[in-house]
Amino acid sequence: MTPVTSTHRPSRRLSRLRVIGAALTALLVAGTGTATATQAAPTAPKTSTPPVPVLNWADCQGGFECATADVPLDYREPHGRTLTLAVVRKPAADPAKRKGTLFMQPGGPGNSGVDFVRNNYADLPAALRESFDVFGYDVRGVGRSSALTCFDDARYTRAVTEAKGVPGADAFGPALREAAEFDQACVDNSGALLPYVGTEYVARDIDLLRQALGEQQLTYYGRSFGTYIGTVYAALFPKRVRALALDGAYDPVHYANRPYAYDLPQYLALDGAMSRFLDWCAADQATCGFGDGDPRAAFEKLKSDLDAQPVPTANGGLANGYTLVYRLMFNINEGKVIWPSLGAALRKAQLRDNTSFLLRPPSPASFDFLGPNVVVECVDRDYPRGLRRLKRNVTAFAEAAPLLGPAMAYGPPTYDHQHATACVQWPGERISRYDGSYRAKGSAPILVIGTTGDPDTPYHDAVALSRKLDNGRLLTFEAEGHTAFGRSACATDAVTGYLLDLTVPDKGATCADETQPPTSAPTVAPPGTTLGELRNGVNERVERIGNVR
């Protein structure tokens, strides 16, 4: 069996699947409004059982053990070509208490599960570290597991440098063309892998890894996009679920099958979080330090001013209004505790001080995450092919979320809000996409955690998932910010008890212990927070779990 890597050249047929943005824009003008690239319908995998990987563990520093796992590239051919996944674990600290293996799945798509375990192991509750081997892996197409490549670093840098915080009225056509270029770059650079990176195949990989680890059932914590992976796993293998904790959940039906219905609430959630921050800023100008009495007006002016005169960065780049929006999109995830730091960083940006963490353009470290983020969602999601409908929706989303939405709607393909232009034109097959029932009938109870002010995965998505699952139970965290585990002692205790002893919170259970904004911008992370900006210098979309102990 021959491993596949992302450097394998695309087949002749894939290389011919070119999507020319200018021509598609012309179709819009002509009123035809339909993209013509074909999509292959998903095909059910054959019944032949794929071989279980053999994991040869070796020490990889800090008490961690690393290995690789060969899994089928295409589950329709389970004994055909293989793809190699990078895996990591840290054995249970107390063998006498060991209950099994805890799978840790980060958000994304695009984040490294290997790094997620390494970066967060020390902050896990002691009871989890004592009782479980803590396990993570890089999913197919990500990180050390045949990483996908679309735009190279230079092309991505040009795309984010030319993007605007306040796009003009004619922004849709250029956005469509740039998305078509991105799609073609994916085909040119990773064409052989593209059809096989969807979440159904990721879930099937997890089941092979479960078997390779000798586990009869799966114990799993997933956050953000990791909740969708866990949901698909439960749908495919409901009887193999021991415990699934899904934190910052997706509405799976909207995500996969009604993407425009999924996208609008995400725009509104992000803008809502920004709006609540600006309201706080107006009410507490002394702590916020930004806005001179009218933070909303100051923010709109700042975006335009930075577009007109970008700020040179220390490494020779340029930061503009798009840079500001991009950084806010990720860093507002930290919740109220980071609000004073956001105010201070906005004030620095106003003064054209390039030490503001909001004026650091996306870097190659970001691009390693952003490329797979777009590709996986284009494979997973069934966007209607009409270009007129695309334009109508993108325009409506930008208007509905005026603070951050326009930059996202008309920017280059990067994060969730900017996928529609690429995905409507997506040229490849989507063999590995899952579109079946999400009930997980017959599973053990599944814990779904939603944060009411989540700017990334709207709270109502968690409510929807808990209702779609036959055995879902919702835990609510009343707070700003993305996800709950590690940010709330109450939620962390609930998740820990569930993973350890299968104790499910009572119906209607709520946590309300968010750390409130400090009275000034802190220089170190307070207990119970992550403050990724202050700890890491700049958030390159690294998934972190806070330490609430």
Side-chain angles (χ1 to χ4, degrees):
M1 293 183 286
T2 306
V4 65
T5 68
S6 60
T7 56
H8 181 83
R9 302 306 300 169
S11 67
R12 182 179 298 275
R13 187 176 70 81
L14 274 174
S15 68
R16 293 175 182 270
L17 286 173
R18 296 195 168 266
V19 182
I20 307 301
L24 287 168
T25 305
L27 286 175
L28 264 178
V29 174
T32 60
T34 301
T36 57
T38 59
Q39 296 284 352
T43 302
K46 296 176 181 178
T47 57
S48 178
T49 303
V52 175
V54 176
L55 303 178
N56 295 312
W57 296 103
D59 177 78
C60 52
Q61 300 182 338
F64 292 97
E65 298 173 343
C66 293
T68 58
D70 290 339
V71 296
L73 172 66
D74 185 353
Y75 276 91
R76 300 173 307 172
E77 299 177 1
H79 296 275
R81 297 180 64 201
T82 62
L83 186 148
T84 300
L85 307 176
V87 305
V88 68
R89 72 176 178 185
K90 192 158 188 179
D94 187 343
K97 294 182 179 179
R98 185 182 182 277
K99 290 179 177 286
T101 300
L102 172 61
F103 279 63
M104 299 283 290
Q105 193 74 50
N111 279 310
S112 164
V114 171
D115 293 343
F116 186 52
V117 167
R118 283 185 170 276
N119 292 339
N120 291 289
Y121 177 83
D123 288 336
L124 291 175
L128 294 180
R129 288 183 277 119
E130 289 172 352
S131 301
F132 291 102
D133 298 347
V134 180
F135 175 88
Y137 80 107
D138 288 358
V139 305
R140 50 178 60 214
V142 170
R144 303 162 185 85
S145 299
S146 297
L148 292 159
T149 300
C150 294
F151 278 167
D152 61 22
D153 291 347
R155 181 64 182 89
Y156 238 143
T157 298
R158 177 160 67 89
V160 298
T161 300
E162 294 175 350
K164 300 295 183 185
V166 186
D170 59 349
F172 179 72
L176 195 68
R177 289 191 291 272
E178 187 159 59
E181 286 186 41
F182 177 90
D183 288 353
Q184 187 58 51
C186 296
V187 171
D188 291 343
N189 294 318
S190 297
L193 188 55
L194 297 182
Y196 309 112
V197 297
T199 298
E200 176 169 333
Y201 279 19
V202 171
R204 293 186 182 279
D205 291 344
I206 288 176
D207 202 56
L208 285 183
L209 293 171
R210 174 193 63 79
Q211 295 173 67
L213 291 163
E215 300 294 339
Q216 294 300 309
Q217 291 183 303
L218 181 72
T219 302
Y220 177 100
Y221 169 81
R223 56 181 273 140
S224 196
F225 184 74
T227 69
Y228 182 66
I229 295 173
T231 298
V232 173
Y233 181 89
L236 291 170
F237 309 107
K239 300 293 187 180
R240 298 174 192 167
V241 170
R242 176 185 174 273
L244 293 183
L246 308 178
D247 187 6
Y250 280 40
D251 178 333
V253 173
H254 282 186
Y255 167 76
N257 300 326
R258 298 183 58 199
Y260 289 133
Y262 183 86
D263 288 349
L264 176 58
Q266 197 172 31
Y267 272 85
L268 296 176
L270 178 62
D271 236 51
M274 186 66 191
S275 181
R276 293 187 293 275
F277 159 71
L278 291 174
D279 287 345
W280 167 83
C281 207
D284 191 354
Q285 282 279 275
T287 304
C288 175
F290 170 73
D292 301 320
D294 190 351
R296 288 176 184 270
F299 180 66
E300 294 297 340
K301 185 175 186 300
L302 178 58
K303 288 188 294 183
S304 297
D305 288 349
L306 290 172
D307 281 345
Q309 288 188 297
V311 174
T313 63
N315 65 357
L318 292 172
N320 63 6
Y322 177 83
T323 310
L324 186 77
V325 170
Y326 175 89
R327 288 295 171 201
L328 283 166
M329 174 175 61
F330 289 128
N331 289 290
I332 205 164
N333 281 350
E334 297 289 344
K336 287 182 180 179
V337 73
I338 203 175
W339 283 1
S341 301
L342 292 180
L346 284 166
R347 180 59 179 161
K348 280 187 174 183
Q350 222 175 16
L351 298 173
R352 302 180 63 79
D353 180 347
N354 68 9
T355 65
S356 169
F357 62 72
L358 297 177
L359 294 183
R360 298 186 185 179
S363 71
S366 299
F367 303 150
D368 290 344
F369 159 75
L370 296 172
N373 184 271
V374 181
V375 172
V376 171
E377 293 212 358
C378 286
V379 173
D380 270 352
R381 308 180 72 191
D382 187 18
Y383 274 92
R385 304 295 285 179
L387 295 179
R388 283 180 296 185
R389 185 174 180 182
L390 169 67
K391 184 176 184 180
R392 184 169 65 248
N393 279 286
V394 166
T395 302
F397 299 164
E399 291 175 351
L403 293 170
L404 305 180
M408 299 292 99
Y410 301 114
T414 56
Y415 193 56
D416 297 6
H417 310 72
Q418 297 166 311
H419 289 172
T421 50
C423 293
V424 168
Q425 303 180 82
W426 189 247
E429 296 177 308
R430 295 182 297 165
I431 293 163
S432 50
R433 154 183 154 78
Y434 181 80
D435 63 354
S437 167
Y438 295 95
R439 289 178 56 190
K441 184 178 180 180
S443 77
I446 294 172
L447 179 60
V448 179
I449 308 102
T451 302
T452 54
D454 197 317
D456 203 345
T457 52
Y459 172 68
H460 70 80
D461 277 22
V463 175
L465 176 60
S466 69
R467 291 173 177 170
K468 285 182 172 66
L469 292 167
D470 269 18
N471 291 301
R473 177 64 58 86
L474 177 66
L475 173 66
T476 297
F477 180 34
E478 294 180 346
E480 298 292 329
H482 185 39
T483 70
F485 185 73
R487 297 182 55 235
S488 158
C490 169
T492 301
D493 287 345
V495 171
T496 301
Y498 167 70
L499 294 173
L500 281 173
D501 302 318
L502 308 181
T503 304
V504 180
D506 294 337
K507 288 184 178 180
T510 298
C511 295
D513 56 344
E514 180 181 12
T515 303
Q516 296 302 304
T519 56
S520 63
T523 57
V524 296
T529 70
T530 57
L531 280 189
E533 277 302 328
L534 300 181
R535 183 180 54 231
N536 301 324
V538 62
N539 188 342
E540 295 291 3
R541 198 61 172 101
V542 174
E543 293 289 331
R544 297 301 298 253
I545 291 174
N547 182 356
V548 298
R549 293 287 177 266

